[in-house]
Amino acid sequence: MKGVRCETVDIDVPAYAEIVLEGKILPHVRVPEGPFGEFPKYYGPRSDKEVIEISAVTHRNNPIFYTVVPAGYEHLLLGGIPHEASLLQSIRQTVPSVKVVHMSPGGTCRYHAIVFINKRNEGEAKNAIIAALANGFDIKYVVVTDEEIDIFDMEEVEWAIATRFQADRDLVVSS
């Protein structure tokens, strides 16, 4: 990749970058920032943040500037997809029959996990729940199902809970 020298800072940047902001972070300077919308659809608290002093802005002709609206579906998915992958890998260490993990939008793609397993032995579903709770610090709710349920269709997931789940034998509570 071809690099070019910045105009005011002694570093190279990609020659075809859309936008380059040059500057320096001011040491020991903090100013209040926020509140900002966050993924759970609440505002994060106002807090002191670093300050950057911009010395130059350069860009391509007609640059593309892309941003994500906080707590929108796109924001949730961008955070949820990597959570799904790491949770799948983590649960598989305990329950190898896990096939797919879905972090549902209703749980802001962070708090609710739907896990699909090819159940081979009794107890695998409970082990998957415990593994999910142990490895996902923000997970509050886990549903485990089999291949008969489309874990990406919350109506099917809710139907399975309504018709197959029995709290006296299936509920796992962790505190």
Side-chain angles (χ1 to χ4, degrees):
M1 171 179 284
K2 184 179 174 189
V4 295
R5 183 65 64 187
C6 285
E7 292 183 3
T8 63
V9 180
D10 190 27
I11 61 170
D12 290 336
V13 294
Y16 300 105
E18 295 290 333
I19 300 170
V20 175
L21 302 176
E22 298 176 27
K24 62 181 178 181
I25 297 173
L26 302 178
H28 313 293
V29 177
R30 305 287 184 271
V31 297
E33 183 178 78
F36 293 110
E38 300 289 350
F39 75 88
K41 301 183 181 181
Y42 289 105
Y43 284 101
R46 182 176 212 163
S47 60
D48 290 343
K49 299 296 181 190
E50 294 76 10
V51 174
I52 184 170
E53 187 176 86
I54 300 293
S55 55
V57 177
T58 56
H59 57 81
R60 297 173 63 165
N61 292 331
N62 301 311
I64 297 170
F65 176 77
Y66 187 80
T67 188
V68 175
V69 176
Y73 193 64
E74 181 181 33
H75 184 206
L76 300 181
L77 288 177
L78 287 171
I81 291 169
H83 276 78
E84 289 174 346
S86 60
L87 191 58
L88 174 65
Q89 184 179 29
S90 180
I91 297 171
R92 272 194 182 148
Q93 293 175 8
T94 304
V95 183
S97 63
V98 171
K99 297 297 177 194
V100 181
V101 172
H102 176 53
M103 305 299 288
S104 68
T108 68
C109 294
R110 304 290 199 297
Y111 301 131
H112 295 174
I114 316 302
V115 180
F116 160 40
I117 65 172
N118 279 336
K119 182 178 157 189
R120 298 179 310 206
N121 301 302
E122 286 303 316
E124 279 185 316
K126 288 184 181 177
N127 288 343
I129 291 169
I130 292 166
L133 293 172
N135 292 290
F137 70 92
D138 48 359
I139 295 175
K140 298 179 178 184
Y141 171 87
V142 181
V143 174
V144 178
T145 188
D146 58 20
E147 70 277 352
E148 294 178 10
I149 304 301
D150 176 0
I151 68 171
F152 300 99
D153 181 339
M154 288 310 296
E155 188 172 338
E156 280 193 38
V157 172
E158 290 177 18
W159 173 84
I161 292 168
T163 60
R164 298 177 180 182
F165 171 77
Q166 296 299 318
D168 62 332
R169 70 163 198 257
D170 299 328
L171 181 65
V172 175
V173 178
S174 175
S175 56

